[in-house]
């Protein structure tokens, strides 16, 4: 009997449902236990707070400890829980159930420690005072006006809690047994209804096999085959749809992962449901813990405001935002999408920090070059006007003015020449005539050209060349220009009696040239911009020079595959380091 299709359906179906009911029963029991314990803890917190407020509000902390024991016993009778009154240093000054004088200091009890730190503490453990397991709840009460504080701890035996929970479990078990019996009956009835048409179909098929069938052989009773064919067709179509959806999903993932813009999809509650790799890099978050709220990830109220505005208005927005935590400028946008009545917001962030920096550099460049051109042009104009106003009759003054005009014109010519040179270097249009040469020869030539200048300035110049320096591929004229630009600045900003030292050494992978001086140094805030065009540490721009030398030096060093660095301290001098690749 149990081998029939009816029982093959009924028994597994019933077994599965019974197993599910058992799991539901266990989960429900645990859930109710959790609710009961949480409610008990909440009740204990409320009761402990009332007791603490009464102690602090009525000024009862100053009464004798014996009276506090009486009060604790009184409250214990009302709330049916053990009451302990503890000072902030852990001393028990009131106890409802035990002899307070035999009790040890409670400062290091978990619930007391937690109450001191957070205001409320809970713990469950075996009580050596009572001899059985208890659940403790402690509350820290503080009177702001009198600066008094007290900890009220309530305790309930776990046996009482377990008894109440067992009552819940008994009720749940009875309900589940009734439901299980009902399911068995329903499962048998459903199985009979399902198998009845199959039984009829089987009998008709058997009749078709009879030499003398009772029904026409042309009659089609192949519903099962039709059902199977329909299911197979549906399965094939569904599989094709799933494959297409998977392809679309993969294409979407590829697009998101390779987008340079950060993309976050946030639901109406502010929870991030999808993000791409660029957003991980932008907001500096861990991919494993990235599914958090938007506020936790962005740490910026402007981003949250952008999301909230889009949720409320359902309109597309776009703003320029400065992410202070990430120190970046972004172009942020939001798009609202609706899915089955639930709203989502797509937030995208385009990092424009580099563009902003370039724009700032462009503005500074225009400002600097305008300032540099204004001074010589103003001088030329003033002297020309003076000559036109009658100074031409004075030959000595005329000669002096013409010489000044020529000097200013030479300065303008030098500036324009350096600008053109820098533009050609930056664009890569200046070819490097590289040959195999000793780096010491290049540095020595630059030092010799500036020897007279150092002697006039009263500066001592030291030169050290590593005797084991190998030949390198370099453009001697260009590298000598780099050395002269750096040395010229070192000499110019070093006072009389100072020292400039030049060292050329070979390290494992580089040829290192170090030019150090004992000059006035460069402020730390100016160091990152020292190699920019026209940038001068002297904000008044009263010092001579175009401000292009270090910028040209940096581009020439980089054109040789090297790097240039600077370290400086105000009042102690500066040190420029040029590292060129050593031959393999």
């Amino acid at each position: 009997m149990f081998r029939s299709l009816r029982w093959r359906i009924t028994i597994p179906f019933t077994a599965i449902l019974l197993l599910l009911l058992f799991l539901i029963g266990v989960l429900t029991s645990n859930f109710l236990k959790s609710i009961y314990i949480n409610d008990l803890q909440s009740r204990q917190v409320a009761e402990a707070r009332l007791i603490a407020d009464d102690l602090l509000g009525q000024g009862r902390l100053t009464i004798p400890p014996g009276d506090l024991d009486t009060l604790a016993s009184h409250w214990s009778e009302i709330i049916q829980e053990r009451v302990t009154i503890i000072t902030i240093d852990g001393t028990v000054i009131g106890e409802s159930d035990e002899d307070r004088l035999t009790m040890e200091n409670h400062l290091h009890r978990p619930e007391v420690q937690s109450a001191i730190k957070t205001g409320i503490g809970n713990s469950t453990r075996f009580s050596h005072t009572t001899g059985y397991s208890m659940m403790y709840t402690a509350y820290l009460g503080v009177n702001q006006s009198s600066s008094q504080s007290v900890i009220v701890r309530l305790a309930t035996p776990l046996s009482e809690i377990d008894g109440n929970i067992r009552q819940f479990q008994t009720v749940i078990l009875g309900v589940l047994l009734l439901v299980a019996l009902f399911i068995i009956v329903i499962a048998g009835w459903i199985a009979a209804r399902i198998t009845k048409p199959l039984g009829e179909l089987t009998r008709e098929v058997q009749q078709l096999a009879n030499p003398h069938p009772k029904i026409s052989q042309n009659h089609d009773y192949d519903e099962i085959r039709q059902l199977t064919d329909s299911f197979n067709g549906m399965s094939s179509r569904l599989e094709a749809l799933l494959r297409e959806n998977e392809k679309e999903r993969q294409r979407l993932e590829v697009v998101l992962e390779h987008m340079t813009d950060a993309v976050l999809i946030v639901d109406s509650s502010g929870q991030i449901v999808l993000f791409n790799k660029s957003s991980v890099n932008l907001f500096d978050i861990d991919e494993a813990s990235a599914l958090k709220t938007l506020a936790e990830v962005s740490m910026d109220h402007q981003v949250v405001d952008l999301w909230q505005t889009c949720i409320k208005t359902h309109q597309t927005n776009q703003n320029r935002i400065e992410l202070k935590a990430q120190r970046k400028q972004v172009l942020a946008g939001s798009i609202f999408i609706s899915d089955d009545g639930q709203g989502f917001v797509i937030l995208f962030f385009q990092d424009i920090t580099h563009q902003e920096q370039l724009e700032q550099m462009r503005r500074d460049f225009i400002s600097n070059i305008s300032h540099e051109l204004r001074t010589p042009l103003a001088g030329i104009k003033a002297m020309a006007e003076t000559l036109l106003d009658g100074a031409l009759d004075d030959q000595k003054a005329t000669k002096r003015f013409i010489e000044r005009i020529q000097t200013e014109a030479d300065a303008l010519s030098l500036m324009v020449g350096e600008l053109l040179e820098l533009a050609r270097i930056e664009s890569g249009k200046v070819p490097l005539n590289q040959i195999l040469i000793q780096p010491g020869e290049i540095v020595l030539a630059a030092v010799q050209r500036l020897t007279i200048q150092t002697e006039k300035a009263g500066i001592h110049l030291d030169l050290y060349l590593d005797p084991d320096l190998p030949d390198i591929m370099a453009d001697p004229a260009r590298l000598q220009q780099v050395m002269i630009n750096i040395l010229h600045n070192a000499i110019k900003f070093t006072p009389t009696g100072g020292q400039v030292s030049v060292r050329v050494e070979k390290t494992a992978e580089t040829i290192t040239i170090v030019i150090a001086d004992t000059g006035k140094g460069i402020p730390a805030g100016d160091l990152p911009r020292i190699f920019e065009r026209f940038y001068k540490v002297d904000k008044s721009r009263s010092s001579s020079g175009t401000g292009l030398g270090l910028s040209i030096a940096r581009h020439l060093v980089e054109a040789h595959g090297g790097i240039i660095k600077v370290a400086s301290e105000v009042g102690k001098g500066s040190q420029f380091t040029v590292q060129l690749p050593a031959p393999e």
Side-chain angles (χ1 to χ4, degrees):
M1 180 181 79
F2 292 99
R3 298 184 64 183
S4 68
L5 183 60
R6 174 181 178 180
W7 290 107
R8 288 182 181 180
I9 294 175
T10 302
I11 293 175
F13 180 76
T14 304
I16 292 173
L17 286 178
L18 289 177
L19 178 61
L20 290 175
L21 287 174
F22 174 77
L23 293 176
I24 292 172
V26 172
L27 293 175
T28 305
S29 176
N30 292 334
F31 178 70
L32 291 176
K33 180 178 179 179
S34 175
I35 291 177
Y36 180 80
I37 291 177
N38 290 337
D39 288 343
L40 180 60
Q41 289 176 347
S42 299
R43 191 190 72 190
Q44 284 183 328
V45 170
E47 292 170 346
R49 181 175 182 178
L50 288 174
I51 294 173
D53 291 345
D54 183 69
L55 287 170
L56 296 171
Q58 301 297 328
R60 295 181 175 178
L61 290 178
T62 58
I63 67 176
D67 294 341
L68 286 176
D69 291 337
T70 304
L71 278 175
S73 300
H74 173 68
W75 286 321
S76 177
E77 291 177 2
I78 295 174
I79 64 178
Q80 296 299 307
E81 292 179 272
R82 178 183 170 189
V83 179
T84 306
I85 304 172
I86 307 168
T87 62
I88 196 67
D89 62 356
T91 304
V92 179
I93 59 175
E95 170 61 33
S96 64
D97 291 12
E98 304 296 332
D99 185 1
R100 171 178 50 79
L101 298 178
T102 63
M103 298 174 67
E104 61 184 10
N105 189 283
H106 282 39
L107 179 62
H108 298 291
R109 301 297 170 88
E111 66 278 1
V112 174
Q113 283 291 313
S114 181
I116 292 174
K117 294 177 181 178
T118 64
I120 298 173
N122 298 104
S123 68
T124 301
R125 67 178 185 279
F126 181 81
S127 173
H128 295 284
T129 304
T130 60
Y132 45 83
S133 296
M134 305 280 287
M135 187 178 77
Y136 298 93
T137 298
Y139 174 80
L140 173 63
V142 179
N143 190 325
Q144 300 294 339
S145 59
S146 63
S147 299
Q148 288 184 324
S149 61
V150 67
I151 299 173
V152 177
R153 189 187 71 174
L154 304 183
T156 301
L158 286 181
S159 57
E160 179 182 344
I161 298 174
D162 293 337
N164 292 333
I165 293 174
R166 279 195 293 272
Q167 290 180 0
F168 286 139
Q169 292 173 339
T170 302
V171 173
I172 292 172
L173 180 61
V175 172
L176 291 179
L177 289 175
L178 291 176
V179 172
L181 181 62
F182 177 76
I183 287 175
I184 293 173
V185 175
I186 294 299
W189 179 75
I190 292 175
R193 291 290 301 272
I194 293 174
T195 56
K196 183 178 178 181
L198 294 177
E200 294 176 353
L201 178 60
T202 301
R203 286 191 296 271
E204 291 179 356
V205 171
Q206 290 173 348
Q207 290 176 359
L208 289 175
N210 196 316
H212 304 285
K214 296 182 180 179
I215 59 174
S216 172
Q217 294 184 0
N218 296 326
H219 193 78
D220 188 8
Y221 283 93
D222 199 9
E223 288 85 356
I224 299 299
R225 181 184 60 78
Q226 295 176 9
L227 179 61
T228 302
D229 292 343
S230 299
F231 180 80
N232 289 338
M234 180 184 66
S235 178
S236 298
R237 290 192 296 273
L238 182 60
E239 185 178 357
L241 288 174
L242 290 176
R243 283 198 301 267
E244 185 63 28
N245 287 339
E246 180 66 17
K247 290 180 181 178
E248 291 292 335
R249 185 187 65 81
Q250 291 177 352
R251 283 194 287 265
L252 177 60
E253 287 183 352
V254 170
V255 171
L256 284 176
E257 287 303 311
H258 290 82
M259 284 182 64
T260 57
D261 293 352
V263 177
L264 298 174
I265 299 181
V266 188
D267 63 16
S268 57
S269 64
Q271 188 77 25
I272 296 176
V273 297
L274 186 64
F275 59 94
N276 66 345
K277 187 175 180 180
S278 296
S279 62
V280 174
N281 297 332
L282 176 63
F283 293 106
D284 192 21
I285 53 179
D286 183 9
E287 290 192 50
S289 59
L291 292 177
K292 300 179 179 179
T293 63
L294 180 62
E296 291 174 322
V297 168
S298 65
M299 295 184 293
D300 195 291
H301 71 92
Q302 298 178 89
V303 176
V304 178
D305 291 343
L306 183 67
W307 162 74
Q308 288 178 337
T309 302
C310 190
I311 282 289
K312 293 177 182 177
T313 63
H314 297 182
Q315 294 180 353
T316 300
N317 298 293
Q318 188 168 335
N319 292 323
R320 189 183 297 266
I321 293 176
E322 179 183 1
L323 299 176
K324 293 182 175 59
Q326 292 77 22
R327 297 181 180 179
K328 291 184 178 181
Q329 295 278 348
V330 296
L331 186 62
S334 62
I335 301 174
F336 181 82
I337 56 176
S338 180
D339 184 13
D340 294 334
Q342 185 177 5
F344 292 89
V345 175
I346 300 177
L347 297 175
F348 54 89
F349 304 89
Q350 182 182 1
D351 189 354
I352 57 174
T353 306
H354 184 63
Q355 292 91 316
E356 288 290 323
Q357 292 172 346
L358 292 178
E359 181 63 21
Q360 183 61 42
M361 291 176 62
R362 185 189 67 82
R363 289 193 293 266
D364 291 345
F365 174 75
I366 294 174
S367 175
N368 291 333
I369 195 172
S370 299
H371 187 91
E372 293 293 340
L373 292 174
R374 184 184 300 116
T375 301
L377 288 175
I380 292 173
K381 182 179 180 181
M383 287 181 283
E385 289 176 348
T386 303
L387 291 173
L388 291 175
D389 288 341
L392 285 172
D393 297 333
D394 187 344
Q395 292 185 356
K396 292 183 178 181
T398 300
K399 182 180 180 181
R400 187 173 65 254
F401 285 158
I402 292 175
E403 288 175 348
R404 289 284 305 278
I405 291 173
Q406 185 177 10
T407 300
E408 296 294 346
D410 289 342
L412 285 174
S413 178
L414 174 63
M415 184 185 304
V416 173
E418 288 188 342
L419 273 175
L420 292 174
E421 177 78 357
L422 181 60
R424 286 196 295 266
I425 293 172
E426 288 180 342
S427 63
K429 293 182 179 179
V430 175
L432 295 179
N433 299 318
Q434 292 184 326
I435 60 173
L436 200 61
I437 188 171
Q438 265 280 325
E441 296 180 8
I442 301 174
V443 177
L444 180 60
V447 170
Q448 290 174 344
R449 287 184 60 180
L450 295 174
T451 300
I452 297 176
Q453 184 177 345
T454 57
E455 292 175 352
K456 288 182 178 180
I459 296 172
H460 182 67
L461 179 62
D462 287 333
L463 173 64
Y464 171 77
L465 300 176
D466 191 335
D468 297 326
L469 289 173
D471 292 343
I472 62 172
M473 291 298 297
D475 185 330
R478 293 298 183 183
L479 279 187
Q480 191 176 130
Q481 182 181 1
V482 172
M483 297 299 106
I484 291 174
N485 286 348
I486 300 175
L487 279 170
H488 177 74
N489 283 342
I491 295 168
K492 182 169 63 174
F493 294 108
T494 299
T496 301
Q499 182 175 349
V500 175
S501 62
V502 182
R503 296 179 61 86
V504 185
E505 299 175 324
K506 180 184 183 303
T507 60
E509 299 179 352
T510 63
I511 301 297
T512 302
I513 304 170
V514 179
I515 300 174
D517 63 64
T518 58
K520 58 184 180 181
I522 304 170
D526 294 312
L527 286 176
R529 303 188 60 187
I530 200 68
F531 294 106
E532 292 181 14
R533 292 169 293 184
F534 290 110
Y535 190 81
K536 292 185 179 181
V537 176
D538 181 12
K539 304 304 179 184
S540 65
R541 312 188 72 84
S542 59
S543 61
S544 61
T546 61
L548 296 171
L550 289 180
S551 181
I552 292 174
R554 185 195 70 179
H555 284 89
L556 287 176
V557 170
E558 291 176 351
H560 281 81
I563 58 174
I564 183 171
K565 299 181 292 186
V566 60
S568 182
E569 187 174 348
V570 175
K572 294 186 178 180
S574 304
Q575 177 177 296
F576 285 82
T577 303
V578 176
Q579 292 179 328
L580 299 171
E584 297 181 357

